Amino acid sequence: MDLTNIIENTCAEVVEIYRHLHMHPELSEQEKETADYICQTLDVHNIPYQRNIAGHGITALVKGSGSGCIGIRADIDALAIDETTEAPYASVNPGVMHACGHDMHTAILLGTGIVLSEIADQLPGSVKLIFQPAEETTGGAHQMIEAGVLQQPDVSAMIGLHVDPAFETGSVIMRKGAMNAAVNDFTMQIKGQQCHGAQPERGIDPIVVAADMIMTLQTVATRFTAATNPVVVSIGSIHGGSGCNIIPGEVTMQGTLRAVSKETLTAIQKRVEQIAAGTAATYGASVQFSWMETPFPPLINDDKVIDIVEQAAKDVQFVVHPMPETSMGADDFAFFTEAVPGAYFNLGCAPKGTKLSPLHNGNFIGDEKALSAGMEIELQTVLALLDRYSNV
Ligand SMILES: [Zn+2]
Ligand SMILES: [Zn+2]
């Protein structure tokens, strides 16, 4: 099926959608106007949808004739960052910006949906468009799956993409197997005993306990797990005390654990708790942890689905870059690949010959040409997946 003309005819509308979304970013779990706008666009094209799923999530369905159903996910939330670009469509919401490209993901998925709706009578199965909130914070993917978005109709395979400013438009970056790490974040509270800074023997100093703990926790990566099994233990915040001569009663620290399997993640979580409890006990202090309600699993690409993405990319003359190693970064698309065979890949979004600011930076702005590139690859992949998963 040659979709070049339909994609070209849809391009101007998709750029307009992207600019609107970029101009009106909303933080995770507050994506109300973004959801309204997505629904209005779906209405214009008579694509049926359900909304208010797991917060401001939406699923839309382009119904073909066969029994199979392929899912495509776009995340819709923005970040608490001040935009510093001079784009005419820069954010009008102070302190909030689409600095992770989720505006591009959403515009691409709407464009893909619009094209699919125009050829629905030729589709051998259905396509579910999943607009997911709260990727940057609570892991909206998990909540949407719990709410049943992979059922009725049952989704046989899933794909999703993330823009990547380190690569040029017209390229995709992908990896077989584990693409992103599993994550568990924590907050720990070390309780000591407050006293005068001149007489530390009269209290229990939680700052000394914290300092010892931070150093010992680094042995989790160097002495507890094999060097061939990558893990990360990072403390990202430490708070305690109010003056130079007061030993505080408590210290609070936050940190993150990363591993490439759920088993290792659970093992290092236990080890971190043991080290913390043991260190605290050495000084007569105590420690309490709170962990993520649902840790992210690793993002593992299904071999068959990622092969289909790769072939689709080649079919539309994209440059395919293999991702050399698993990223210790995380994406909650991992919940989808845990639930059904799925593949996640990155889409180059730098204009040819230019170097873009990285994601999560106030100066990031993706190449608008990447929007039609994203549609091309999503459409080509989904048609191949429908062939593979429909009527079998
Ligand atoms: Zn992000
Ligand atoms: Zn992102």
Side-chain angles (χ1 to χ4, degrees):
M1 205 181 300
D2 186 11
L3 299 173
T4 321
N5 281 343
I6 315 182
I7 294 176
E8 263 172 29
N9 293 339
T10 317
C11 257
E13 184 181 355
V14 172
V15 168
E16 202 183 301
I17 291 169
Y18 159 68
R19 291 183 176 187
H20 178 95
L21 292 167
H22 191 85
M23 208 167 174
H24 302 95
E26 291 173 295
L27 292 175
S28 310
E29 300 164 80
Q30 299 172 27
E31 311 92 340
K32 161 119 187 24
E33 284 175 23
T34 305
D36 286 345
Y37 182 76
I38 294 167
C39 292
Q40 282 161 23
T41 310
L42 293 166
D43 279 334
V44 168
H45 293 276
N46 293 316
I47 303 171
Y49 57 85
Q50 283 186 296
R51 63 179 305 183
N52 300 324
I53 305 168
H56 297 294
I58 299 161
T59 61
L61 191 69
V62 178
K63 215 165 160 14
S65 48
S67 58
C69 180
I70 304 301
I72 317 176
R73 173 270 221 169
D75 38 14
I76 65 171
D77 52 332
L79 288 159
I81 290 180
D82 267 318
E83 178 153 4
T84 51
T85 78
E86 279 167 13
Y89 49 90
S91 169
V92 294
N93 298 339
V96 187
M97 180 193 174
H98 267 298
C100 201
H102 299 185
D103 46 356
M104 301 183 81
H105 307 163
T106 305
I108 290 167
L109 185 55
L110 280 167
T112 296
I114 293 166
V115 173
L116 288 171
S117 72
E118 285 175 28
I119 55 163
D121 55 347
Q122 299 168 59
L123 295 176
S126 301
V127 180
K128 201 179 274 189
L129 318 172
I130 299 177
F131 297 94
Q132 181 215 303
E135 192 282 325
E136 297 283 0
T137 55
T138 51
H142 174 67
Q143 293 163 42
M144 284 197 94
I145 293 167
E146 293 271 288
V149 299
L150 295 177
Q151 282 112 46
Q152 293 184 326
D154 286 351
V155 171
S156 322
M158 276 289 297
I159 56 161
L161 59 77
H162 203 297
V163 291
D164 187 340
F167 290 85
E168 287 185 349
T169 302
S171 63
V172 285
I173 307 92
M174 58 180 65
R175 180 175 168 78
K176 272 197 170 184
M179 176 166 165
N180 287 94
V183 185
N184 203 347
D185 296 336
F186 61 86
T187 299
M188 69 158 112
Q189 227 177 0
I190 302 165
K191 286 216 163 95
Q193 199 182 317
Q194 194 175 36
C195 65
H196 198 298
Q199 287 128 0
E201 75 283 3
R202 295 190 178 176
I204 296 170
D205 187 348
I207 287 183
V208 170
V209 179
D212 193 346
M213 222 179 253
I214 291 166
M215 298 312 291
T216 313
L217 284 174
Q218 291 313 307
T219 63
V220 175
T222 59
R223 287 297 172 269
F224 179 66
T225 49
T228 46
N229 183 15
V231 302
V232 179
V233 177
S234 290
I235 303 290
S237 88
I238 168 161
H239 292 279
S242 57
C244 66
N245 56 358
I246 309 155
I247 285 170
E250 55 183 62
V251 165
T252 303
M253 299 201 284
Q254 291 178 305
T256 188
L257 307 186
R258 308 286 163 117
V260 290
S261 75
K262 265 184 148 177
E263 295 69 33
T264 304
L265 189 70
T266 306
I268 63 172
Q269 175 185 347
K270 283 199 185 123
R271 187 66 182 156
V272 164
E273 283 178 331
Q274 280 169 352
I275 289 172
T279 311
T282 304
Y283 296 92
S286 64
V287 63
Q288 263 188 336
F289 275 88
S290 70
W291 295 90
M292 283 168 86
E293 209 168 293
T294 315
F296 286 20
L299 195 163
I300 308 216
N301 281 330
D302 180 82
D303 280 355
K304 282 198 195 83
V305 181
I306 197 76
D307 280 349
I308 289 173
V309 177
E310 185 174 356
Q311 189 53 51
K314 288 177 178 161
D315 290 345
V316 290
Q317 270 83 52
F318 275 56
V319 179
V320 178
H321 298 283
M323 192 182 281
E325 54 201 16
T326 305
S327 161
M328 299 312 276
D331 193 294
D332 72 354
F333 191 80
F335 288 106
F336 288 114
T337 55
E338 188 182 49
V340 293
Y344 200 52
F345 56 95
N346 291 346
L347 177 78
C349 71
K352 292 212 183 329
T354 46
K355 206 171 160 4
L356 286 189
S357 297
L359 300 173
H360 288 222
N361 177 303
N363 212 24
F364 166 72
I365 199 100
D367 180 10
E368 289 184 344
K369 289 202 176 75
L371 299 171
S372 55
M375 285 162 64
E376 258 184 279
I377 183 91
E378 280 189 351
L379 286 160
Q380 188 73 15
T381 305
V382 102
L383 292 177
L385 286 168
L386 281 173
D387 264 350
R388 166 79 177 72
Y389 284 95
S390 283
N391 307 312
V392 285

